[in-house]
Amino acid sequence: MKIVTQVKLLPEADQAAALRSTLRAVNNAAGWVSQIAFERGVPREYELRKHTYAELKARGLGAQAAQHTIKKVRDAYTVLKANIRAGNLGKEGSKRRRTAESKPIAFRPEAAQPYDDRCLSWQYDQQTVSIWTTSGRAKNISFVCSPDGLKTLQQYRKGESDLIERDGVFYLVATCEVPEAERYEPDGFIGVDLGIANIATASTGYMAAGRGLNRYRKRQFDLRRKLQKKRTKSAKRRLKARSRREQRHAANQNHIISKTIVTEAERTGRGLSLEELKGIRTRVRLRKPQRVALHSWAFSQLGDFIVYKAKRAGVPLVFVDPAYTSQTCAECGHVDKRNRVNQGLFICRGCGVVAHADRNASHNIAQRGENVWNAGRESRVPATP
């Protein structure tokens, strides 16, 4: 299982200048390679290398940096094509899709640049790195990270690491291949219903209410709007200082929620059943005020956190179809749109049971997860002699 570990670099002034100059040089070169690729119909990586490698070397890029720059550009076009095929940029002929297809992909000056072990080395005991720059090798650059992160780096780091600059601070994002724990045979399943009013509701009774997070987001939104209206240097400085604060807060909440859910499943020997919410933003039709909440909440992030934490703990996990889970009675199985009285109330028209709507849905998800697991596991019936 691949995860990433991020460390913060603490370079000296001259080292920081070299890193900044390097990122701008490689991303400027990537923009030129992107222009060549666009003009030639985005050829394969080997062919693109024939047209660009010599020029990249002439621009002062090392051999590995040139190779990674070409690969970065080719990967960017691969992702673009995948998004077009998936319909993420709209239907054929839409304005957004035409714009994406009509010009080369651009790269920000501080965009990430991949490094491999030939141009980046780690000294874990001293917590320093040695990294290639356009000004030569920058050695003994200190880095800081959590104790768990350092342990993960020492044991499992493998493959490329990305150098990025964010708000004037440099980071290395390293890829780590962590072995998955052996999955146990689950004694039942815990269903997890994801939503906006309640971020996560488990069939065990655990509920992560979204009221606090939604209020926090509303405050941040109002504050950003006030600062943007002022248009002063001080307001712009405050906006820059507060950038990504909401993102970090939401990610921290998702980590707490996912850890709570996975820990409970591991403690009780049960598996986890999640809704398959892929494409929910394109499927759901909402009023304008509701769209802000839908598009600002990281649906996939919480699911991703639960998935990787479950794999590390050996907790069995399945995804189920979420259709009608909020309209189906977990007691008698009666399906009726009127069963869902409002956001929080469920009253079955068949058997009359009254329940919290999200808890009822979580029980349905748990049952579907158990059915999926039983249908997919190997038969334990002895063979007929």
Side-chain angles (χ1 to χ4, degrees):
M1 175 182 63
K2 288 187 178 181
I3 64 171
V4 295
T5 300
Q6 178 177 280
V7 303
K8 179 180 178 181
L9 298 182
L10 303 174
E12 302 292 338
D14 56 335
Q15 295 172 332
L19 292 175
R20 187 170 292 110
S21 175
T22 299
L23 278 181
R24 276 140 184 78
V26 294
N27 284 305
N28 182 55
W32 174 77
V33 175
S34 178
Q35 180 71 40
I36 299 298
F38 183 79
E39 292 173 355
R40 295 181 175 273
V42 192
R44 294 188 176 184
E45 185 180 336
Y46 178 76
E47 185 179 349
L48 184 60
R49 189 177 295 121
K50 290 195 297 184
H51 297 295
T52 58
Y53 180 76
E55 174 63 22
L56 292 178
K57 290 283 289 181
R59 291 184 177 215
L61 270 64
Q64 289 303 114
Q67 301 279 17
H68 285 304
T69 300
I70 296 168
K71 187 177 184 298
K72 179 169 76 170
V73 172
R74 190 63 187 84
D75 289 345
Y77 278 101
T78 301
V79 171
L80 175 62
K81 287 184 178 180
N83 282 324
I84 291 174
R85 283 197 306 269
N88 296 335
L89 298 177
K91 298 179 181 178
E92 187 175 358
S94 66
K95 182 179 179 181
R96 187 180 177 194
R97 181 166 170 175
R98 287 201 311 270
T99 301
E101 293 176 321
S102 63
K103 58 183 180 180
I105 293 175
F107 293 85
R108 293 176 290 105
E110 67 278 6
Q113 174 67 12
Y115 280 78
D116 61 20
D117 289 342
R118 280 172 283 191
C119 43
L120 170 67
S121 59
W122 298 76
Q123 295 82 44
Y124 302 113
D125 294 337
Q126 294 81 25
Q127 285 196 214
T128 60
V129 295
S130 170
I131 188 170
W132 172 88
T133 71
T134 52
S135 304
R137 192 88 172 185
K139 298 181 179 180
N140 299 321
I141 301 178
S142 301
F143 70 84
V144 291
C145 65
S146 66
D148 286 342
L150 182 60
K151 184 177 178 181
T152 301
L153 282 172
Q154 288 177 306
Q155 294 180 345
Y156 305 118
R157 190 197 65 80
K158 186 176 182 180
E160 296 179 352
S161 302
D162 288 346
L163 173 68
I164 60 174
E165 181 185 1
R166 191 184 300 136
D167 298 332
V169 181
F170 294 95
Y171 299 90
L172 277 172
V173 183
T175 304
C176 301
E177 289 194 8
V178 179
E180 297 181 16
E182 185 177 353
R183 290 193 307 180
Y184 53 79
E185 186 67 24
D187 182 19
F189 274 78
I190 297 174
V192 183
D193 179 63
L194 304 180
I196 296 174
N198 295 307
I199 300 174
T201 305
S203 56
T204 57
Y206 169 74
M207 181 181 292
R211 179 182 298 177
L213 182 57
N214 290 331
R215 284 179 176 174
Y216 175 83
R217 283 190 165 136
K218 180 67 166 57
R219 287 199 306 273
Q220 297 301 314
F221 177 77
D222 292 340
L223 181 58
R224 283 197 304 271
R225 186 165 55 183
K226 288 179 183 178
L227 290 172
Q228 287 165 353
K229 283 183 178 179
K230 288 185 179 294
R231 303 173 67 88
T232 62
K233 287 185 178 180
S234 176
K236 291 178 181 177
R237 191 162 57 245
R238 292 297 302 151
L239 279 169
K240 185 176 181 181
R242 299 181 67 85
S243 66
R244 283 187 288 274
R245 179 176 294 186
E246 181 183 332
Q247 230 177 19
R248 294 193 298 270
H249 180 75
N252 182 59
Q253 293 299 311
N254 282 338
H255 271 299
I256 294 171
I257 294 167
S258 59
K259 186 174 182 178
T260 302
I261 292 171
V262 172
T263 301
E264 178 64 14
E266 184 182 14
R267 185 184 68 81
T268 58
R270 286 182 283 182
L272 288 173
S273 177
L274 298 181
E275 301 170 279
E276 178 56 74
L277 293 177
K278 186 176 181 180
I280 188 172
R281 290 185 172 89
T282 58
R283 295 198 311 267
V284 177
R285 292 179 179 272
L286 296 171
R287 295 192 302 272
K288 190 173 182 179
Q290 294 172 309
R291 292 176 204 159
V292 176
L294 176 70
H295 289 271
S296 64
W297 187 69
F299 278 99
S300 63
Q301 188 187 68
L302 177 56
D304 290 343
F305 286 175
I306 293 174
V307 168
Y308 95 78
K309 284 176 169 47
K311 286 183 177 179
R312 292 194 71 173
V315 175
L317 185 141
V318 295
F319 286 88
V320 301
D321 185 0
Y324 305 107
T325 52
S326 62
Q327 300 174 16
T328 303
C329 178
E331 295 293 331
C332 68
H334 178 70
V335 183
D336 193 324
K337 187 177 182 180
R338 297 173 298 169
N339 286 351
R340 183 74 179 261
V341 178
N342 55 42
Q343 191 280 322
L345 182 61
F346 182 93
I347 302 177
C348 180
R349 302 286 171 169
C351 66
V353 69
V354 180
H356 190 283
D358 291 339
R359 285 205 177 98
N360 176 78
S362 69
H363 285 291
N364 288 325
I365 294 168
Q367 182 59 50
R368 291 188 183 187
E370 192 161 354
N371 294 338
V372 169
W373 179 266
N374 290 334
R377 66 183 178 188
E378 296 180 2
S379 173
R380 298 184 182 276
V381 179
T384 303

